[in-house]
Amino acid sequence: MALEIKQGLKTSQRISLSAELKNSITILTLGRIELEKFVNEELEKNPCLVDISNSNKKEQKNHYEELKYALQKSFNQSDFLEKFNDINGSEEISSANQRKEFPDNSAIHSIHDFIENQISTQRLSPYEKECVHIVLQYIDDNGFINTKLNIIAESHSIHEDDLIFALELIQKCEPAGVGARDLQECLLLQYNKLEKKSKFVEKILTVYWEEFQKQNFQKIAKNEKMTLEKVKESFRFIKANLDPKPARQFGTQTNQIIIPDVFVYKRDNEWICSLNENDLPRLKLSKKYTKLIKDIKESMDRKNNKETYKYISENIKSAKWLVRSLAERDKTILKVVDTILKYQKRFFEYGVDFLTPMTLKTVAQELNLHESTISRATSGKYLYSPRGIFELKYFFNASVENNAGKELANESIKQHVADFIRNEDKSKPLSDQEIVEKMFKEKNIKIARRTISKYRESLGILSSAKRIQRF
């Protein structure tokens, strides 16, 4: 069969997104900080946009005072009200005021800066300093290096022996134990820097490491032919003098700043929401450029001003689209939060035990929008309420049914698991199966052991065997 080239016509249907629609979707997806940056960039490059927020300072201040009062009245317990007492009523609303709820650790050096300061006092070649800097990149906020040196060496095309030398330099720095590759090495590094040492403690950390992790006092006492109390005394010494997370005092490497997109508060016995417009430019079209383009049209002198006309027309079109997209974003987020308030009113009133199961589909159907739109509108967006600050996605939960047929949100179940473990006997911690039985007996909720295990792990809680405290 011979091959030949033919011309032909064919009709087909396909979905194509315009540039404006793609950009609208992008704006809806942006979080509060990213949006602020994006709007400021647009203001700089588009002369047809004007920021009118400065002309409404008095209005903003009045709105701020009203909002502060509403937030204070939304909850009558003092521990919640304390969050708002440090806000200066005479100040304008600013991002600095919003962030006061969260601890400011900016004055604390990160563990990486702290080690680099110590390394800088040593006489090292530029190459050796570079090796140290590379290794430091792989040290986590607890002070551990979790990536194997041979993998790091391969990634950076450096000889592994050079990285071993760099790691040894780091391990000599303070705090003791930093740069360890596992917990055992971490504790041994700290032990070796102690002034008062015990050969038996060293033996526990080396020979009896497995028994130490399981707190198996009896086996160690039997093998060493010593009293149980003597073994426990060594364990207490380790607990008092060695830190399993040597860098925790420095906090996290980066402090995440969260600026809420929406405020939720109670007014006249109703929960309502308000957009957070603090520090966000309020845009409108420039009258100057709108008039200029109109004058060029009316003068019929478009030919001589072709480039000017094109430049201004494109920027006016872009400005109109941006103003419209921002308004649509605000409208969508408010509608979503209004729906969350409708379904989660009891959560804001009474707490996590009353969180209602809710899905993206539920809200999408309520607002007659696509699920993907709801997902974009809630991803990376936060609301600030008297109960704290929450990502909007927090309120979307799968359901678990109790014995009475009532649906409960899985976040409520997680809270029960955390409460049970928090109040357990530390010498006899609850197993996953015991939590299952306790959940059924006290909360009337029947749930599988593997589900409890999954929830416990998601909360970062160890198994009962590793939570036990024998002394």
Side-chain angles (χ1 to χ4, degrees), residues 106-135:
S106 57
I108 302 175
H109 291 295
S110 72
I111 183 62
H112 306 80
D113 293 335
F114 189 66
I115 293 172
E116 281 188 336
N117 286 340
Q118 296 174 68
I119 294 292
S120 66
T121 62
Q122 301 185 36
R123 291 185 177 180
L124 300 174
S125 68
Y127 174 71
E128 288 169 335
K129 287 181 180 178
E130 179 62 23
C131 288
V132 170
H133 181 71
I134 288 170
V135 174

Short mmCIF file of all heavy atoms in Angstrom, two decimals, residues 106-135:
data_model
loop_
_atom_site.label_atom_id
_atom_site.label_comp_id
_atom_site.label_asym_id
_atom_site.label_seq_id
_atom_site.Cartn_x
_atom_site.Cartn_y
_atom_site.Cartn_z
N SER A 106 12.68 35.87 65.20
CA SER A 106 13.62 36.41 64.23
C SER A 106 14.95 36.79 64.85
O SER A 106 15.97 36.83 64.19
CB SER A 106 13.00 37.64 63.55
OG SER A 106 12.65 38.60 64.51
N ALA A 107 14.93 37.09 66.18
CA ALA A 107 16.18 37.47 66.84
C ALA A 107 17.06 36.26 67.14
O ALA A 107 18.23 36.40 67.46
CB ALA A 107 15.87 38.22 68.13
N ILE A 108 16.48 35.07 67.07
CA ILE A 108 17.23 33.85 67.37
C ILE A 108 17.91 33.35 66.11
O ILE A 108 17.28 33.18 65.08
CB ILE A 108 16.30 32.76 67.92
CG1 ILE A 108 15.58 33.26 69.17
CG2 ILE A 108 17.07 31.49 68.23
CD1 ILE A 108 14.54 32.30 69.71
N HIS A 109 19.23 33.11 66.19
CA HIS A 109 19.94 32.57 65.05
C HIS A 109 19.48 31.15 64.79
O HIS A 109 19.17 30.40 65.69
CB HIS A 109 21.45 32.58 65.32
CG HIS A 109 22.03 33.95 65.38
ND1 HIS A 109 22.06 34.79 64.29
CD2 HIS A 109 22.59 34.65 66.40
CE1 HIS A 109 22.63 35.94 64.64
NE2 HIS A 109 22.95 35.87 65.91
N SER A 110 19.51 30.75 63.53
CA SER A 110 19.24 29.35 63.21
C SER A 110 20.46 28.53 63.58
O SER A 110 21.56 29.06 63.75
CB SER A 110 18.93 29.21 61.72
OG SER A 110 20.11 29.39 60.96
N ILE A 111 20.28 27.23 63.70
CA ILE A 111 21.40 26.35 64.02
C ILE A 111 22.48 26.46 62.96
O ILE A 111 23.68 26.38 63.25
CB ILE A 111 20.89 24.89 64.17
CG1 ILE A 111 22.04 23.95 64.58
CG2 ILE A 111 20.22 24.39 62.90
CD1 ILE A 111 22.67 24.27 65.90
N HIS A 112 22.07 26.69 61.71
CA HIS A 112 23.03 26.79 60.61
C HIS A 112 23.92 28.04 60.77
O HIS A 112 25.14 27.97 60.61
CB HIS A 112 22.29 26.81 59.27
CG HIS A 112 21.37 25.66 59.09
ND1 HIS A 112 20.12 25.62 59.68
CD2 HIS A 112 21.51 24.48 58.42
CE1 HIS A 112 19.54 24.48 59.37
NE2 HIS A 112 20.35 23.77 58.61
N ASP A 113 23.30 29.18 61.11
CA ASP A 113 24.08 30.41 61.34
C ASP A 113 25.01 30.25 62.54
O ASP A 113 26.15 30.70 62.52
CB ASP A 113 23.14 31.60 61.58
CG ASP A 113 22.33 31.96 60.35
OD1 ASP A 113 22.79 31.65 59.23
OD2 ASP A 113 21.24 32.54 60.50
N PHE A 114 24.50 29.60 63.57
CA PHE A 114 25.26 29.42 64.80
C PHE A 114 26.53 28.60 64.55
O PHE A 114 27.62 28.94 65.05
CB PHE A 114 24.39 28.73 65.84
CG PHE A 114 24.99 28.67 67.22
CD1 PHE A 114 25.21 29.83 67.95
CD2 PHE A 114 25.34 27.45 67.79
CE1 PHE A 114 25.76 29.77 69.23
CE2 PHE A 114 25.89 27.39 69.06
CZ PHE A 114 26.10 28.56 69.79
N ILE A 115 26.40 27.54 63.76
CA ILE A 115 27.56 26.70 63.45
C ILE A 115 28.52 27.42 62.52
O ILE A 115 29.75 27.37 62.70
CB ILE A 115 27.10 25.36 62.83
CG1 ILE A 115 26.35 24.54 63.89
CG2 ILE A 115 28.30 24.57 62.30
CD1 ILE A 115 25.70 23.29 63.34
N GLU A 116 27.97 28.13 61.53
CA GLU A 116 28.84 28.86 60.60
C GLU A 116 29.68 29.91 61.33
O GLU A 116 30.84 30.14 60.97
CB GLU A 116 28.00 29.52 59.50
CG GLU A 116 27.60 28.54 58.41
CD GLU A 116 26.94 29.23 57.22
OE1 GLU A 116 26.40 30.34 57.41
OE2 GLU A 116 26.97 28.65 56.12
N ASN A 117 29.11 30.55 62.36
CA ASN A 117 29.87 31.53 63.14
C ASN A 117 31.04 30.86 63.86
O ASN A 117 32.13 31.44 63.96
CB ASN A 117 28.95 32.20 64.18
CG ASN A 117 28.01 33.21 63.54
OD1 ASN A 117 28.26 33.68 62.44
ND2 ASN A 117 26.92 33.52 64.22
N GLN A 118 30.82 29.64 64.33
CA GLN A 118 31.91 28.92 65.02
C GLN A 118 32.98 28.46 64.03
O GLN A 118 34.17 28.54 64.30
CB GLN A 118 31.34 27.70 65.77
CG GLN A 118 30.39 28.07 66.89
CD GLN A 118 29.75 26.85 67.52
OE1 GLN A 118 30.41 26.05 68.18
NE2 GLN A 118 28.45 26.69 67.31
N ILE A 119 32.52 27.99 62.86
CA ILE A 119 33.46 27.52 61.84
C ILE A 119 34.32 28.66 61.31
O ILE A 119 35.50 28.49 60.98
CB ILE A 119 32.69 26.85 60.67
CG1 ILE A 119 31.99 25.56 61.16
CG2 ILE A 119 33.61 26.54 59.50
CD1 ILE A 119 32.91 24.43 61.54
N SER A 120 33.74 29.87 61.26
CA SER A 120 34.45 31.02 60.69
C SER A 120 35.69 31.40 61.49
O SER A 120 36.58 32.10 61.01
CB SER A 120 33.51 32.22 60.58
OG SER A 120 33.12 32.66 61.88
N THR A 121 35.75 30.96 62.75
CA THR A 121 36.91 31.29 63.59
C THR A 121 38.08 30.35 63.33
O THR A 121 39.19 30.58 63.84
CB THR A 121 36.53 31.20 65.09
OG1 THR A 121 36.14 29.86 65.40
CG2 THR A 121 35.37 32.15 65.40
N GLN A 122 37.85 29.28 62.56
CA GLN A 122 38.90 28.31 62.30
C GLN A 122 39.63 28.64 60.98
O GLN A 122 39.04 29.23 60.08
CB GLN A 122 38.31 26.90 62.23
CG GLN A 122 37.59 26.50 63.51
CD GLN A 122 37.11 25.06 63.48
OE1 GLN A 122 37.79 24.20 62.93
NE2 GLN A 122 35.96 24.81 64.07
N ARG A 123 40.87 28.23 60.91
CA ARG A 123 41.66 28.48 59.70
C ARG A 123 41.39 27.35 58.69
O ARG A 123 41.94 26.26 58.78
CB ARG A 123 43.15 28.53 60.04
CG ARG A 123 43.53 29.75 60.85
CD ARG A 123 45.03 29.81 61.07
NE ARG A 123 45.40 31.01 61.80
CZ ARG A 123 46.66 31.33 62.12
NH1 ARG A 123 47.65 30.51 61.77
NH2 ARG A 123 46.92 32.43 62.78
N LEU A 124 40.55 27.65 57.75
CA LEU A 124 40.18 26.67 56.73
C LEU A 124 40.37 27.27 55.35
O LEU A 124 40.22 28.49 55.17
CB LEU A 124 38.71 26.24 56.90
CG LEU A 124 38.31 25.58 58.23
CD1 LEU A 124 36.80 25.38 58.25
CD2 LEU A 124 39.03 24.26 58.44
N SER A 125 40.65 26.43 54.39
CA SER A 125 40.76 26.89 53.01
C SER A 125 39.37 27.17 52.47
O SER A 125 38.37 26.66 53.02
CB SER A 125 41.45 25.82 52.16
OG SER A 125 40.60 24.68 52.04
N PRO A 126 39.25 27.98 51.42
CA PRO A 126 37.93 28.23 50.81
C PRO A 126 37.21 26.93 50.45
O PRO A 126 35.99 26.84 50.60
CB PRO A 126 38.26 29.06 49.57
CG PRO A 126 39.54 29.75 49.92
CD PRO A 126 40.31 28.78 50.76
N TYR A 127 37.96 25.94 49.96
CA TYR A 127 37.34 24.66 49.58
C TYR A 127 36.79 23.94 50.81
O TYR A 127 35.68 23.39 50.77
CB TYR A 127 38.37 23.77 48.87
CG TYR A 127 37.87 22.38 48.57
CD1 TYR A 127 36.91 22.16 47.58
CD2 TYR A 127 38.33 21.29 49.30
CE1 TYR A 127 36.42 20.88 47.32
CE2 TYR A 127 37.85 20.01 49.04
CZ TYR A 127 36.90 19.81 48.05
OH TYR A 127 36.42 18.54 47.80
N GLU A 128 37.53 23.95 51.92
CA GLU A 128 37.06 23.30 53.14
C GLU A 128 35.81 24.00 53.69
O GLU A 128 34.87 23.35 54.15
CB GLU A 128 38.18 23.30 54.19
CG GLU A 128 39.31 22.34 53.86
CD GLU A 128 40.52 22.55 54.76
OE1 GLU A 128 40.70 23.67 55.30
OE2 GLU A 128 41.30 21.58 54.92
N LYS A 129 35.81 25.33 53.61
CA LYS A 129 34.63 26.08 54.05
C LYS A 129 33.42 25.75 53.18
O LYS A 129 32.29 25.65 53.67
CB LYS A 129 34.91 27.59 54.00
CG LYS A 129 35.85 28.07 55.10
CD LYS A 129 36.05 29.57 55.01
CE LYS A 129 37.00 30.07 56.10
NZ LYS A 129 37.25 31.52 56.01
N GLU A 130 33.66 25.57 51.87
CA GLU A 130 32.57 25.21 50.96
C GLU A 130 32.01 23.84 51.30
O GLU A 130 30.80 23.63 51.27
CB GLU A 130 33.09 25.24 49.51
CG GLU A 130 32.04 24.87 48.46
CD GLU A 130 30.87 25.82 48.43
OE1 GLU A 130 31.00 26.98 48.87
OE2 GLU A 130 29.79 25.39 47.95
N CYS A 131 32.89 22.90 51.66
CA CYS A 131 32.44 21.56 52.06
C CYS A 131 31.58 21.62 53.31
O CYS A 131 30.54 20.94 53.40
CB CYS A 131 33.66 20.65 52.30
SG CYS A 131 34.51 20.16 50.78
N VAL A 132 31.99 22.43 54.28
CA VAL A 132 31.21 22.60 55.51
C VAL A 132 29.84 23.19 55.18
O VAL A 132 28.80 22.74 55.68
CB VAL A 132 31.95 23.51 56.52
CG1 VAL A 132 31.03 23.88 57.68
CG2 VAL A 132 33.21 22.83 57.03
N HIS A 133 29.82 24.20 54.31
CA HIS A 133 28.57 24.85 53.92
C HIS A 133 27.62 23.86 53.24
O HIS A 133 26.41 23.87 53.49
CB HIS A 133 28.87 26.01 52.96
CG HIS A 133 27.65 26.75 52.52
ND1 HIS A 133 26.92 27.57 53.36
CD2 HIS A 133 27.01 26.77 51.31
CE1 HIS A 133 25.89 28.07 52.69
NE2 HIS A 133 25.92 27.60 51.46
N ILE A 134 28.16 22.98 52.41
CA ILE A 134 27.35 21.97 51.73
C ILE A 134 26.72 21.02 52.74
O ILE A 134 25.52 20.72 52.68
CB ILE A 134 28.18 21.21 50.68
CG1 ILE A 134 28.48 22.11 49.48
CG2 ILE A 134 27.47 19.94 50.21
CD1 ILE A 134 29.49 21.56 48.51
N VAL A 135 27.54 20.53 53.68
CA VAL A 135 27.02 19.59 54.70
C VAL A 135 25.94 20.27 55.55
O VAL A 135 24.92 19.65 55.87
CB VAL A 135 28.16 19.05 55.58
CG1 VAL A 135 27.60 18.20 56.72
CG2 VAL A 135 29.14 18.23 54.74
#
